[in-house]
Amino acid sequence: MFPRPGDLEEIIARSLCGIGPQARAVMVRIPSDLPRVMVDPPIMERVIANLAANALRYSPSGSPPLVTASARGGRVVLRIIDHGPGVPEADRDRIFAAFQRLGDTGSTIGLGLGLTVARGLTEAMHGTLEPEETPGGGLTMAISVPAASGPAELHPDSPAWLERERTGSALRQTASTAGTPSMARC
């Protein structure tokens, strides 16, 4: 892991693009004044992609997942919210156990390792990944990671650094300002 300051908006955009065209349904609401996060950006992209793919899988049509973020006490909390069937409170710890696929017994997709890996990667970045109740039904996955202090520096191996070098400007794939929701664009 190579934690470094990263732009969460950019990380979210890249993670959603990695999911494929279905990610265009995901609503993104990120405040423009959100501090940068201290994470390993490619690892954080994988965590977000896993959680967003799960939210897409369980969201009913017409009720797309929502990605929000807020800063609090030196940390940034990212929430991926769906309005699907949810997970009973008694089973919330079990969803992080390896090879668990609650309510997915007929599915042949996945091994039940995604949430286990996502939590482990988040913890390796000094973060937490916890399920929360979604008002009105569903599940919210909350990722809390350290906020970065000082100006962000792009790592020379990051796709954003390469894009900035190529075009002379920062990569911005998700247009969201002042908390206005936008659809993910790839």
Side-chain angles (χ1 to χ4, degrees):
M1 298 263 169
F2 299 103
R4 56 191 175 274
D7 181 314
L8 187 58
E9 185 177 13
E10 179 181 312
I11 293 168
I12 292 167
R14 289 189 166 294
S15 68
L16 293 177
C17 286
I19 295 172
Q22 69 271 26
R24 290 186 185 125
V26 176
M27 298 292 294
V28 177
R29 188 178 301 146
I30 305 295
S32 60
D33 61 347
L34 192 70
R36 295 189 178 270
V37 292
M38 184 60 77
V39 297
D40 185 314
I43 298 298
M44 187 69 169
E45 287 173 24
R46 290 306 326 138
V47 169
I48 295 169
N50 177 281
L51 298 175
N54 281 348
L56 281 163
R57 183 178 305 127
Y58 294 107
S59 290
S61 70
S63 184
L66 172 65
V67 176
T68 66
S70 60
R72 184 176 37 197
R75 298 190 70 79
V76 173
V77 179
L78 175 73
R79 286 184 169 82
I80 300 172
I81 304 161
D82 74 57
H83 293 285
V87 175
E89 190 171 347
D91 291 334
R92 290 195 187 144
D93 284 336
R94 282 189 34 218
I95 64 175
F96 294 103
F99 307 111
Q100 292 295 311
R101 292 180 8 206
L102 301 179
D104 238 4
T105 56
S107 175
T108 58
I109 298 172
L111 296 172
L113 292 174
L115 291 176
T116 304
V117 171
R119 182 178 254 181
L121 292 173
T122 302
E123 289 173 352
M125 292 184 290
H126 306 287
T128 61
L129 172 58
E130 297 295 332
E132 298 177 346
E133 187 75 25
T134 300
L139 184 66
T140 297
M141 297 300 283
I143 305 168
S144 174
V145 293
S149 58
E153 299 174 21
L154 292 176
H155 190 273
D157 293 334
S158 77
W161 186 86
L162 297 172
E163 181 69 13
R164 181 176 285 171
E165 287 298 300
R166 190 168 66 77
T167 65
S169 64
L171 175 63
R172 292 287 179 181
Q173 292 179 327
T174 303
S176 61
T177 58
T180 303
S182 66
M183 301 298 259
R185 291 183 197 70
C186 297

